[in-house]
Structure formats: C-alpha cells, structure tokens
Amino acid sequence: MSPSFHHRNLPHLLLYARETLMAHFRPILQAAGVTEQQWRVLRTLSDVGSMEPNQIARSCQILSPSLTRMLAGMEEQGLIKRTRSSADQRRQEISLTAKSNKLIDRMRPQVDAKYQEIEEKIGKDLLDRLYRDVDAMVDLIRRDTSEPRDSGKP
C-alpha cells in the first residue's frame, strides 16, 4: 500500500462543494429551460456586460469549441446577439438580448432566494469569508506563473 497524501484533495473538495450548491439552483435553471453552462454565460454577461468569446470562455470555464457551439444555439434561441467590434471588425462582441434580460429578471428573485437560504443555513459571516477566501486563493495561485496554467492534474 502506498503512503497517504499529506493534504486533502482540494480540487475534489471544491467540486463536491460546487455540486452541493448547484443542487439548490438546478431546479430553477431547468424550469427556465437553460443549462448550467448557458446560465454561467448569461449571468456573466449580466454582471460584466458584452464580452468577446475568448473572454467568456475564460470567465465561464468553458472550452472554446464547446462555447462556439453553445453560443450558436443561444443565438438561435434569441438569448445572445453578436456584433462586430467597432475598433476591430475581425472581433465579435457577445451581449444579452431583450429576451435574455427578461429571462434573467424572471429568474433573479428565485436565485436570490436560494442565496438567502444558503446564507441563513451557513451564516452571513461564513458566506462572506468563503467569497473572500476563494477569491484570495485564486488570486494567489494565478500569480505563480511557474505553474502550468491548465495541466489537468489535481
């Protein structure tokens, strides 16, 4: 038998935490007819504004080929629109449509209510600390340029 590891499997723990949280939000997404990945795009564009596809891919943690297919479907559904950048006609910007803004407005009270439930379960202090600590961890790890960006290894 090989010796045990010295640390807990943090990537696995974070995935488990994500799945635990998403269980609260999936019924809302399913009722709205959007996938988790589509919701990440809609929520990001709602929070940030229009973005280029490569920025969306990075921000939403979606591989570019998958995002390309997904954006085509979202455009067909009328959830996003593409425009050419005024600075560089070769670049596109993706933004929300009136339809997606209405969808987000319908979903917002339900999403906010789930966050309120989570806050009541774990407490505002812990929730605020989680936001701060996860942001700090990501920032500190990203600063270390000696590590490969996406080696795929836990």
Side-chain angles (χ1 to χ4, degrees):
M1 185 164 120
S2 61
S4 64
F5 291 97
H6 296 289
H7 298 280
R8 291 179 67 190
N9 187 338
L10 186 57
H12 185 207
L13 181 61
L14 291 171
L15 279 171
Y16 186 76
R18 177 194 182 279
E19 288 304 310
T20 301
L21 287 169
M22 284 308 298
H24 292 273
F25 294 98
R26 282 189 184 108
I28 298 169
L29 301 181
Q30 289 170 347
V34 296
T35 67
E36 291 176 38
Q37 294 82 8
Q38 288 172 329
W39 176 244
R40 288 200 310 258
V41 170
L42 293 173
R43 175 78 192 251
T44 299
L45 292 173
S46 177
D47 290 345
V48 176
S50 64
M51 299 173 79
E52 293 181 13
N54 63 339
Q55 295 170 314
I56 295 170
R58 265 192 316 276
S59 180
C60 295
Q61 296 295 296
I62 300 171
L63 296 174
S64 285
S66 298
L67 180 68
T68 299
R69 286 187 300 276
M70 189 175 68
L71 290 177
M74 291 177 76
E75 187 174 30
E76 285 176 18
Q77 293 174 304
L79 295 174
I80 56 118
K81 62 183 172 188
R82 299 173 198 254
T83 55
R84 294 281 172 201
S85 168
S86 56
D88 184 346
Q89 290 293 304
R90 295 171 295 178
R91 300 178 108 155
Q92 327 179 326
E93 293 206 353
I94 308 297
S95 57
L96 297 175
T97 62
K99 179 179 178 177
S100 59
N101 280 312
K102 286 178 190 173
L103 177 65
I104 291 166
D105 287 344
R106 280 196 318 268
M107 294 174 69
R108 184 176 286 112
Q110 298 167 66
V111 170
D112 286 342
K114 285 297 176 189
Y115 276 107
Q116 186 62 41
E117 285 177 27
I118 292 166
E119 185 176 301
E120 288 168 6
K121 280 184 183 181
I122 70 171
K124 183 171 177 22
D125 289 342
L126 177 55
L127 185 59
D128 289 344
R129 197 166 63 243
L130 280 167
Y131 284 130
R132 247 188 343 267
D133 290 349
V134 171
D135 284 341
M137 177 193 70
V138 169
D139 185 50
L140 289 168
I141 290 172
R142 280 191 175 158
R143 284 187 204 169
D144 183 8
T145 57
S146 65
E147 289 294 316
R149 287 201 59 159
D150 187 24
S151 66
K153 295 180 182 176

